[in-house]
Amino acid sequence: MHGRFISGPAALFILLFFFLPWIIVSCNGASIGELSGYDLARGSLVTTSADTLAIPGRPLLYTIPAVSLITLSLIALTWRRPHQATNAAWIQAGLTLTVLLLLLWQYRQLQPEPEASYQLITQPALWGTLLGLLLILTGAIVDIISHDRAPSHTPSAPNKLAPRHSPLAPRHSPLATPHSPLAPDPEAAEPDLFMPAAFPPTAAPEPNLEPSDPTPGTPTPIPPGRLSPRTEMLQPESNILAWLIVREGEETGKQHRLRENMIIGRDPDCDIIVQDSAVSGKHIRVYVQNGRFFAADLNSSNGTFVHETQQDRWSKIEEIEMKDGTQIKLGRTVLHLMTLANKNP
């Protein structure tokens, strides 16, 4: 609730003004008593030199401090449940508008008859209460408008027209010939990151140390001081075939290959760095256990949410098992999990 910075202080001031003098009762220009909002709500007696003036109680005025307490409660609720901000703003706006009209009606009822021997002088606390109610209503309207203008976090459907290539054959050269190696063409387009390459990268070919015109039948000696080049050692390839794809956020479309244990957040030392000011430094941990994927929140400031497809809503989680198609939201960033069957060990 962005309007909480308007509604919160206004609600506190209304509680204070309720116990300050709202009106002064005067007779022939001389003050004979002061009445606060609390006095008007419960009723009071004002004694004049000639008679005793009875001010009947108006219990409906108790709704003024009540709407202040309800406003503070709704602000506290939305701190813990941000997705309820819009509903809280509508409740706040409806209650405040009702109490505002009620206050104006009660003030009109308080006015004495023209022939009465006393007069009522309005004090600043009454106008401050009226202004406070207007500020609470303004804060609620700000929350409603800001939510309507905010971009929707509902994940879009995956692109069904995107081609998927078979992992059983190379993408650019389905048939190998003696003169065309299986390595991809350097001038060809980059490989589709949604589907890993079918073959691991091969080592660079060893240089040919034979002379350009060797004598037939004569073995070619290795020149002194020249040794056979060292064989390149390849890193063992992970058998996890899963990716986290940024569906919404500043890095929409970016893809990250998952490993056994990864930390995701805004800190530069995280395994996956998310450029989002609403994401904590170390927001969540994604790990693999017995071939299953899990995500655990690391006490982040704004929490971690998972999209429930059937109810079409976001639910806050502490830890959850992720499957193919699971979508989680960190701040304003939505990550989509895409998995393939693990390789055989």
Side-chain angles (χ1 to χ4, degrees), residues 33-48:
E34 296 180 341
L35 297 177
S36 65
Y38 175 72
D39 296 330
L40 294 173
R42 68 183 179 89
S44 182
L45 297 177
V46 179
T47 303
T48 66

Side-chain angles (χ1 to χ4, degrees), residues 244 246 248-252 254 256 263-284 328-335:
L244 278 178
V246 181
E248 293 186 18
E250 296 184 6
E251 300 176 317
T252 300
K254 194 171 183 179
H256 304 277
I263 302 298
I264 303 176
R266 205 173 68 253
D267 285 353
D269 56 347
C270 289
D271 299 298
I272 297 179
I273 303 174
V274 179
Q275 302 296 334
D276 186 344
S277 60
V279 173
S280 299
K282 290 181 173 57
H283 200 107
I284 62 169
I328 56 177
K329 180 167 65 175
L330 325 175
R332 304 179 185 89
T333 303
V334 176
L335 300 177

Side-chain angles (χ1 to χ4, degrees), residues 67 71 91-101 132-137 140:
V67 77
T71 298
I91 295 174
Q92 177 181 322
L95 289 177
T96 307
L97 183 59
T98 302
V99 173
L100 183 61
L101 297 176
L133 291 172
L134 290 174
L135 290 176
I136 292 178
L137 180 61

Side-chain angles (χ1 to χ4, degrees), residues 6-22 36-38 61-72 92 95-97 99-100 103 124-138:
I6 303 175
S7 303
L12 294 176
F13 279 115
I14 288 176
L15 290 176
L16 174 63
F17 291 153
F18 188 70
F19 296 96
L20 296 179
W22 276 17
S36 65
Y38 175 72
L61 292 178
Y62 283 120
T63 58
I64 295 175
V67 77
S68 300
L69 295 175
I70 293 174
T71 298
L72 296 175
Q92 177 181 322
L95 289 177
T96 307
L97 183 59
V99 173
L100 183 61
L103 175 60
L126 176 59
W127 301 117
T129 301
L130 180 63
L131 178 61
L133 291 172
L134 290 174
L135 290 176
I136 292 178
L137 180 61
T138 302

